[in-house]
């Protein structure tokens, strides 16, 4: 299910980096203990050698992937690998990532720059020492520089999480034509913990590929002993714990960017009744053709007072304004978070808000727990504006220039309930009775809803007033579908009354355990049924009772149109029969954990079904549905003496071809 995180208990491999490098001036060696699942436990005499080793080990595990990601962050991936990468380069260049990364690198403190440079030295040293282990087509990116690492982190956090390119395109495409990503997090205080110790659950849901891959490690040097995981290619642990405290993140409901519609006029745009010129620059993107020759594309980048233009049609344009462009000190903040030994030290680090996006969930040895609606939220002007869509951009009345400070954000510490949860729902539903008054904050701060996964999350914590460590692990793996508990009592009698195929399907659902375990019979039928029902309902929710903030954990409920639901069940059953699937086919026969030669029955499923254990699937070329994301890096930590912790990287801690660690944790995930 999980791996114990003890380095010494599991150490099978051993290497001494000082024998491979002349970077350290210390007479003490830097040791890396690789445990049996390819997780490095690094013991260094100073911070410089620690980060040198961290760069080296990341390259050993993910070298090809890391170099490709750094090439993309430079905005030169089409030059390196062809025109299929052109859209990525346009986006990265238009957002100004490479130039801003150079500015941010220059702005770092001397100590932060030393750690970053040491990480880069480790990356480059590995590539020099083991060129035979690096794919030929990515070697062109070498050598790596400090700005490359900053550009990579900036691209991922600012221009994928805060302003996801796909979402920006989705909003602007209809205008111009006229993920699985998420997380769970829990903090349990001493009053609800059977042991009397605070506990923390980290459970991000991300794709198992690209820059979303996690790399787990333990980092030990004077002043720091932290275990956690970094998004691959980054020099900091994004989710981690030490002997005193720990934190995790969830994707926030924060709205950290806005799209402004501009009225074009001449060579500029209208602004407060005047014509204002765009700020312009032209960049040259080189494009490698299949025959190895190069061509060039001139990319004109235009910026209004709001930000870069991202879409255009006759007479109009859309400009993007995003938070976080003036926050270059995220690495320093996370170093201080990882080395903190008290709540006061941790909060001092976090209040800088150098990470512009995530929720923070925290627990420590003294029993304190905290949920912070973190990140940077713009201080938006008053007025009747739809900030979730496209805002008029011809007036200063809609322009924001500042963000909310730490003490202006939704935050709760040590609630009377003794527990906190977030499953990508707004901060208002982090615990019950509610600990944060939504009306005390601007309406734009966060929406108001509580989806089924969040309700399932809160229900498991609320229903157990003495939670043991093992129970917490079991709850984290729950595949029960909250949605099924809300609508089957309406669906089953209606389907039985209809007779025929719907009645037969109803008996399968009646016998089903309402879960998506590998052996669950009826889960596939229910998922197909709900897909048909949602498709037929369109934008109208199919529930008899819509979600109500006064009853946040019991609504929505029931079926608005039972006859339409029966018809959807009939279509789902017919489709399964046509595919040769029995209506009670086990979930794990259809959905598989298939990777690196491993092929096992899967468990867990899509978020919309109200499953806490989220797994997203894709249909492979051979028609098999295989897990492609969802539960990724996970840990459960109890802050006793010593800390008790279990962790897992579901898809494996390595991506390098030929490694035994590309799928060796999938059996744990299956179990």
């Amino acid at each position: 299910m999980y791996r114990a995180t003890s380095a010494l208990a599991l150490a099978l491999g051993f290497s001494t980096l000082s024998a491979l490098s002349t970077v350290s001036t210390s007479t003490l060696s830097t040791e890396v203990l690789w445990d049996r699942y390819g997780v490095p436990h690094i013991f260094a005499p100073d911070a410089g050698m620690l980060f040198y080793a961290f760069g080296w080990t990341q390259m050993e595990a993910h070298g090809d992937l890391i170099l490709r990601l750094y090439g993309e962050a430079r905005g030169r991936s089409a030059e390196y690998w062809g025109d299929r990468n052109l859209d990525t380069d346009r986006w990265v260049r238009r957002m100004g990532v490479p130039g801003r990364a150079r500015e941010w690198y220059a702005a770092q403190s001397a100590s932060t720059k030393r750690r970053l440079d040491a990480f880069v030295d480790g990356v480059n040293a590995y590539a020099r020492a083991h060129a035979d282990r690096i794919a030929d087509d990515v070697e062109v990116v070498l050598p790596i520089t400090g700005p490359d690492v900053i550009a990579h982190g900036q691209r991922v956090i600012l221009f994928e999480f805060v302003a996801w390119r796909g979402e920006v395109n989705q909003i602007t495409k209809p205008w111009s034509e006229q993920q699985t990503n998420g997380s769970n997090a829990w903090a349990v205080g001493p009053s609800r913990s059977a042991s009397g110790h605070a506990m923390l659950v980290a459970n991000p849901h991300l794709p198992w590929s690209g820059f979303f891959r996690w790399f787990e490690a333990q980092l030990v040097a004077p002043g720091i002993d932290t275990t956690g995981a970094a998004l691959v290619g980054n020099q900091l642990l994004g989710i981690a714990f030490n002997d005193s405290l720990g934190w995790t993140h969830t994707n926030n409901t924060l709205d950290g960017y806005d799209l402004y519609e501009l009225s074009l006029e001449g060579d500029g745009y209208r602004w407060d009744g005047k014509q204002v010129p765009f700020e312009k620059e032209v960049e040259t993107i080189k494009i490698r053709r299949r025959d190895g020759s190069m061509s060039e594309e001139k990319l004109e980048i235009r910026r209004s007072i709001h930000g870069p233009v991202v879409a255009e049609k006759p007479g109009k344009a859309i400009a993007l304004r995003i938070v976080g462009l003036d926050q270059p000190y995220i690495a320093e903040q996370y170093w201080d978070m990882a080395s903190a030994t008290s709540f006061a030290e941790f909060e001092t680090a976090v209040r800088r808000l150098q990470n512009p996006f995530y929720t923070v969930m925290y627990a420590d040895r003294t029993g304190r727990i905290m949920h912070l609606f973190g990140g940077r939220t713009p201080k938006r002007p008053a007025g009747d504006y739809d900030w979730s869509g496209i805002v008029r951009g011809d007036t200063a009345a809609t322009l924001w220039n500042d963000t909310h400070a730490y003490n202006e954000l939704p935050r709760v510490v040590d609630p009377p309930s003794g527990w906190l949860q977030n499953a990508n729902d707004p901060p208002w539903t982090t615990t019950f009775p509610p600990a944060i008054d939504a009306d005390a904050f601007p309406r734009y701060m966060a929406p108001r809803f509580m989806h089924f996964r969040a309700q399932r999350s809160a229900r498991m914590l609320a229903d157990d007033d003495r939670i043991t460590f093992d129970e917490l692990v079991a709850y984290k793996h729950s595949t029960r579908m909250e949605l099924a508990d809300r609508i089957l009592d309406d669906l089953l009698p209606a389907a039985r009354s209809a007779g025929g195929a719907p009645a037969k399907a109803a008996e399968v659902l009646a016998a089903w355990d309402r879960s998506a375990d590998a052996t669950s019979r009826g889960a596939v039928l229910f998922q197909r049924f709900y897909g048909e029902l949602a498709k037929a309902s369109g934008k109208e929710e199919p529930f008899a009772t819509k979600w109500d903030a006064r009853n946040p954990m019991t609504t929505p409920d029931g079926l608005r149109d039972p006859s339409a639901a029966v018809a959807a069940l009939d279509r789902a059953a017919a489709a399964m029969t046509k595919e040769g699937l029995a209506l009670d086919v086990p979930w794990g026969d259809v959905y598989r954990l298939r990777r690196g030669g491993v092929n096992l029955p899967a468990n867990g499923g899509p978020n919309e079904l109200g499953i806490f254990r989220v797994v997203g699937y894709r249909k492979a070329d051979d028609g098999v549905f295989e897990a492609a994301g969802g539960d990724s890096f996970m840990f459960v930590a109890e802050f006793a003496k010593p800390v008790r912790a279990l962790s897992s990287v579901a898809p494996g801690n390595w991506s390098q071809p030929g490694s035994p660690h590309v799928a060796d944790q999938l059996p744990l995930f299956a179990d």
Side-chain angles (χ1 to χ4, degrees):
M1 198 183 311
Y2 282 87
R3 292 179 301 93
T5 58
S6 166
L8 297 179
L10 294 178
L12 296 181
F14 178 89
S15 63
T16 304
L17 280 191
S18 58
L20 303 174
S21 168
T22 58
V23 169
S24 176
T25 58
S26 171
T27 58
L28 299 176
S29 65
T30 295
E31 297 176 341
V32 178
L33 300 179
W34 289 97
D35 71 28
R36 69 184 64 178
Y37 291 103
V39 175
H41 303 259
I42 304 171
F43 301 84
D46 55 55
M49 283 306 298
L50 179 69
F51 280 89
Y52 178 92
F54 194 36
W56 178 290
T57 55
Q58 281 207 43
M59 281 292 288
E60 188 160 356
H62 295 286
D64 292 356
L65 174 59
I66 287 173
L67 294 182
R68 188 169 295 277
L69 293 174
Y70 289 162
E72 291 175 355
R74 284 179 184 169
R76 296 176 64 185
S77 56
E79 174 185 345
Y80 299 147
W81 305 299
D83 59 7
R84 67 183 182 278
N85 302 281
L86 193 51
D87 283 345
T88 295
D89 287 352
R90 289 169 178 157
W91 176 254
V92 167
R93 302 276 193 103
R94 201 180 300 279
M95 296 301 109
V97 171
R100 190 180 302 107
R102 291 189 290 270
E103 294 172 1
W104 284 16
Y105 177 78
Q108 300 306 306
S109 67
S111 58
T112 301
K113 192 176 290 186
R114 281 196 296 270
R115 292 191 293 268
L116 175 57
D117 289 346
F119 179 85
V120 169
D121 287 343
V123 169
N124 289 326
Y126 179 87
R128 287 193 302 270
H130 298 292
D132 58 320
R133 302 181 189 176
I134 303 296
D136 293 342
D137 69 330
V138 297
E139 289 182 338
V140 65
V141 183
L142 293 164
I144 299 306
T145 68
D148 288 330
V149 179
I150 291 176
H152 167 60
Q154 189 184 111
R155 173 204 175 192
V156 173
I157 294 176
L158 283 174
F159 300 109
E160 292 296 336
F161 280 106
V162 178
W164 176 44
R165 177 164 46 130
E167 184 177 65
V168 171
N169 290 341
Q170 187 178 31
I171 294 173
T172 58
K173 186 176 180 181
W175 171 89
S176 64
E177 290 179 347
Q178 320 208 186
Q179 203 274 121
T180 310
N181 295 356
S183 317
N184 298 322
W186 284 346
V188 177
S191 67
R192 298 299 286 264
S193 168
S195 67
H197 302 298
M199 297 186 288
L200 183 68
V201 174
N203 182 205
H205 304 146
L206 291 173
W208 292 354
S209 59
F211 48 66
F212 294 114
R213 286 293 301 266
W214 291 100
F215 182 67
E216 184 180 6
Q218 180 184 9
L219 306 181
V220 184
I224 191 168
D225 183 351
T226 302
T227 298
L231 286 174
V232 68
N234 286 280
Q235 88 276 21
L236 52 90
L237 296 178
I239 292 175
F241 63 91
N242 60 34
D243 199 44
S244 301
L245 56 83
W247 78 90
T248 184
H249 292 309
T250 59
N251 283 3
N252 225 333
T253 56
L254 174 148
D255 180 4
Y257 74 91
D258 285 304
L259 295 169
Y260 288 89
E261 182 177 78
L262 311 178
S263 296
L264 302 181
E265 184 172 304
D267 201 29
Y269 60 99
R270 297 295 295 175
W271 177 250
D272 275 353
K274 299 178 182 179
Q275 179 186 347
V276 178
F278 285 106
E279 176 188 325
K280 294 182 181 180
E281 67 176 298
V282 176
E283 294 213 3
T284 300
I285 299 178
K286 294 182 178 180
I287 306 166
R288 181 175 297 277
R289 300 303 180 187
R290 291 185 180 181
D291 62 2
S293 64
M294 289 285 184
S295 63
E296 293 184 350
E297 174 184 287
K298 299 296 183 182
L299 177 68
E300 183 182 71
I301 301 171
R302 296 188 297 167
R303 297 184 180 90
S304 71
I305 193 171
H306 314 83
V309 171
V310 295
E312 189 172 346
K313 67 181 180 182
K316 299 287 185 180
I318 296 290
L320 171 68
R321 190 166 188 79
I322 185 173
V323 300
L325 301 184
D326 57 349
Q327 295 162 226
Y329 305 117
I330 186 172
E332 183 175 277
Q333 175 180 315
Y334 274 74
W335 170 261
D336 290 345
M337 289 162 62
S339 54
T341 59
S342 68
F343 179 73
E345 290 178 357
F346 183 85
E347 191 172 36
T348 297
V350 171
R351 71 168 54 250
R352 302 173 198 167
L353 300 179
Q354 291 298 296
N355 190 320
F357 183 63
Y358 303 110
T359 284
V360 179
M361 194 72 74
Y362 167 94
D364 68 26
R365 177 170 285 169
T366 69
R368 304 208 77 171
I369 60 175
M370 176 182 74
H371 174 199
L372 169 69
F373 184 80
R376 294 277 183 170
T377 297
K379 285 187 175 180
R380 295 185 167 95
D384 188 18
Y385 307 115
D386 179 10
W387 296 104
S388 65
I390 296 173
V391 186
R392 60 179 295 191
D394 60 351
T395 170
T398 61
L399 186 69
W400 50 264
N401 292 294
D402 198 5
T403 59
H404 286 275
Y406 180 83
N407 59 3
E408 297 173 328
L409 299 175
R411 169 181 168 274
V412 57
V413 178
D414 300 334
S417 65
W419 59 269
L420 295 163
Q421 72 83 33
N422 187 262
N424 309 123
D425 49 320
W428 330 124
T429 50
T430 185
T431 194
F432 293 97
I436 306 175
D437 180 8
D439 291 334
F441 296 87
R443 186 74 189 194
Y444 60 69
M445 181 67 71
R448 303 186 188 196
F449 66 83
M450 191 177 192
H451 52 64
F452 285 120
R453 172 164 56 93
Q455 293 183 40
R456 180 69 191 155
S457 171
R459 187 179 310 285
M460 288 188 285
L461 294 174
D463 287 351
D464 189 342
D465 59 4
R466 300 291 290 171
I467 304 172
T468 68
F469 182 89
D470 291 340
E471 286 175 332
L472 202 64
V473 171
Y475 294 156
K476 185 261 140 313
H477 290 305
S478 172
T479 70
R480 188 168 182 101
M481 298 186 190
E482 187 79 12
L483 175 64
D485 290 337
R486 300 298 175 82
I487 62 176
L488 279 186
D489 55 349
D490 280 8
L491 176 63
L492 294 182
R496 284 167 171 155
S497 297
K504 181 180 178 182
E507 297 313 312
V508 171
L509 294 178
W512 168 45
D513 62 6
R514 302 191 180 187
S515 298
D517 290 334
T519 56
S520 294
R521 294 179 176 271
V524 175
L525 174 61
F526 184 79
Q527 183 207 20
R528 300 285 182 92
F529 147 72
Y530 189 67
E532 291 288 341
L533 180 61
K535 186 176 11 176
S537 301
K539 294 183 178 180
E540 180 89 26
E541 287 193 349
F543 308 111
T545 303
K546 295 183 178 181
W547 184 76
D548 185 343
R550 295 167 299 182
N551 300 290
M553 290 177 58
T554 57
T555 56
D557 189 36
L559 290 168
R560 175 172 51 84
D561 187 347
S563 62
V566 170
L569 180 61
D570 191 28
R571 291 192 300 274
M576 289 181 65
T577 300
K578 186 176 181 180
E579 293 175 31
L581 296 175
L583 298 185
D584 65 346
V585 60
W587 181 265
D589 285 8
V590 176
Y591 296 100
R592 309 292 295 178
L593 300 172
R594 197 170 67 158
R595 191 182 192 89
V598 175
N599 189 351
L600 295 167
N603 58 81
N607 166 70
E608 63 267 19
L609 302 178
I611 300 175
F612 192 69
R613 181 180 173 87
V614 171
V615 181
Y617 301 91
R618 67 183 173 203
K619 195 171 186 178
D621 292 341
D622 61 1
V624 174
F625 289 94
E626 55 187 23
D631 278 16
S632 46
F633 172 63
M634 300 161 275
F635 74 70
V636 180
E638 181 177 29
F639 292 95
K641 290 187 177 182
V643 171
R644 180 184 184 188
L646 299 173
S647 69
S648 178
V649 182
N653 209 40
W654 289 46
S655 65
Q656 277 301 89
S659 167
H661 305 304
V662 296
D664 58 346
Q665 296 191 51
L666 278 186
L668 304 180
F669 192 73
D671 289 342

